[in-house]
Amino acid sequence: MVTVLPLDAPRRAAELQGAAFVERAPFDAEIGMAVAASDQELRAAFASLVRRAQAEAEVPASIDPDATAWAVLAFMQGMASQLTYDPVAEEAVRDQCRLIVDALLHGSQAGEHDEPASP
Amino acid sequence: MVTVLPLDAPRRAAELQGAAFVERAPFDAEIGMAVAASDQELRAAFASLVRRAQAEAEVPASIDPDATAWAVLAFMQGMASQLTYDPVAEEAVRDQCRLIVDALLHGSQAGEHDEPASP
C-alpha cells in the first residue's frame, strides 16, 4: 500500500501522470470510463485479498470485502493527492496506512481487538 | 460528511472548482501551501469533533484524534474525486461513509463492538 504512494521523485512523477487523467475524467466520458474501470480493477484486487485473508481466518468473516476495498482505494487516492503538495515523512505515512488497514480489517486502530477480549 | 460530497450538480460544481486548485497545488508553491493549510484546518476541525466525542465518552479514549481526522479527510478527498467521474447512488455513499466512520471511531465495520464483548 505504502509502496505505491508518491514518497519519492519517481513515484511522485507516476502519481502526477495518473492525476492528469483523473483531472480530465469528469469532463471526458471516455477518460472517465477508463479511470472508473481502472478503479474497479483495483477494488476487485483489494477485495480478493480480503476474501483470501478471510478464507485463511486472518480477517473476520463479518468484514465486507467490497466495501473495505472501496474504502482503501478512496483513502489511498486522497492520501496520494495530498502527498503531491504536502509531503509527509514515509514513516508517518506508513503508520497512517497501518491504522486505516487495522481499523478496517480488524476493527481496531491499535490492534487491541486482535486478541479475544475474554480468554 | 455525506453532505459535502459531490452527489448533485451544485456540489459537483463546487468539487470541480476545488479540484482545479488541487490540480495546480503540486506545481505552484503558493497554491500548494494554501491547499495544505485548508486541509490542515479541516483535519483540526475533525480532530476536535473526535476529542469532544471522547470527552463525552461516545468514542473510546484509545482512538487517535489526529490520525482519525487525517484518515477521514483522505478518504473523503478520494471519494469526492471518484464521484466526479464514477457516480454512485447517495444511499450507497452514505453506507460507505458510515462504515469508514464506524471502523475508525468504534473499531467495527458493523457496530459489533459497540457493546462490550463480555457483559
Side-chain angles (χ1 to χ4, degrees):
Chain A
M1 182 167 177
V2 178
T3 58
V4 298
L5 288 170
L7 290 160
D8 56 26
R11 287 177 291 175
R12 179 182 159 88
E15 166 64 23
L16 292 174
Q17 202 169 36
F21 285 97
V22 173
E23 283 162 28
R24 295 308 311 151
F27 307 105
D28 181 312
E30 273 189 73
I31 293 180
M33 273 170 17
V35 177
S38 157
D39 285 356
Q40 186 44 42
E41 256 181 62
L42 288 168
R43 280 191 293 257
F46 291 155
S48 118
L49 288 174
V50 174
R51 287 195 181 89
R52 196 172 74 188
Q54 287 177 319
E56 291 168 0
E58 281 181 18
V59 164
S62 59
I63 298 297
D64 179 332
D66 297 312
T68 301
W70 189 6
V72 168
L73 184 67
F75 167 74
M76 284 184 69
Q77 287 173 337
M79 174 69 95
S81 169
Q82 284 176 26
L83 290 172
T84 62
Y85 56 83
D86 192 9
V88 174
E90 176 152 355
E91 192 50 37
V93 171
R94 192 175 294 275
D95 287 349
Q96 184 66 13
C97 290
R98 195 175 292 122
L99 177 140
I100 292 278
V101 170
D102 281 351
L104 286 169
L105 292 187
H106 300 290
S108 129
Q109 279 198 19
E112 71 260 32
H113 294 300
D114 285 349
E115 300 298 322
S118 47
Chain B
M1 181 165 177
V2 177
T3 57
V4 297
L5 287 170
L7 290 160
D8 57 25
R11 287 177 291 175
R12 179 182 158 88
E15 167 63 23
L16 292 175
Q17 203 170 33
F21 284 96
V22 174
E23 283 163 28
R24 294 309 312 150
F27 306 107
D28 182 312
E30 273 189 73
I31 294 180
M33 274 171 14
V35 177
S38 156
D39 286 357
Q40 187 44 41
E41 255 182 62
L42 289 167
R43 281 191 294 259
F46 291 156
S48 118
L49 288 174
V50 174
R51 287 196 182 89
R52 195 172 74 188
Q54 287 178 319
E56 290 168 0
E58 280 182 19
V59 163
S62 59
I63 298 298
D64 179 331
D66 297 312
T68 300
W70 189 6
V72 168
L73 184 67
F75 166 74
M76 284 183 69
Q77 286 172 338
M79 173 70 94
S81 169
Q82 284 176 27
L83 290 172
T84 61
Y85 56 83
D86 191 10
V88 173
E90 176 152 354
E91 192 50 36
V93 172
R94 193 175 294 276
D95 287 348
Q96 184 66 12
C97 290
R98 195 176 290 122
L99 177 140
I100 293 277
V101 170
D102 280 351
L104 285 169
L105 292 187
H106 300 290
S108 127
Q109 278 197 19
E112 71 260 32
H113 294 301
D114 285 351
E115 299 300 321
S118 46

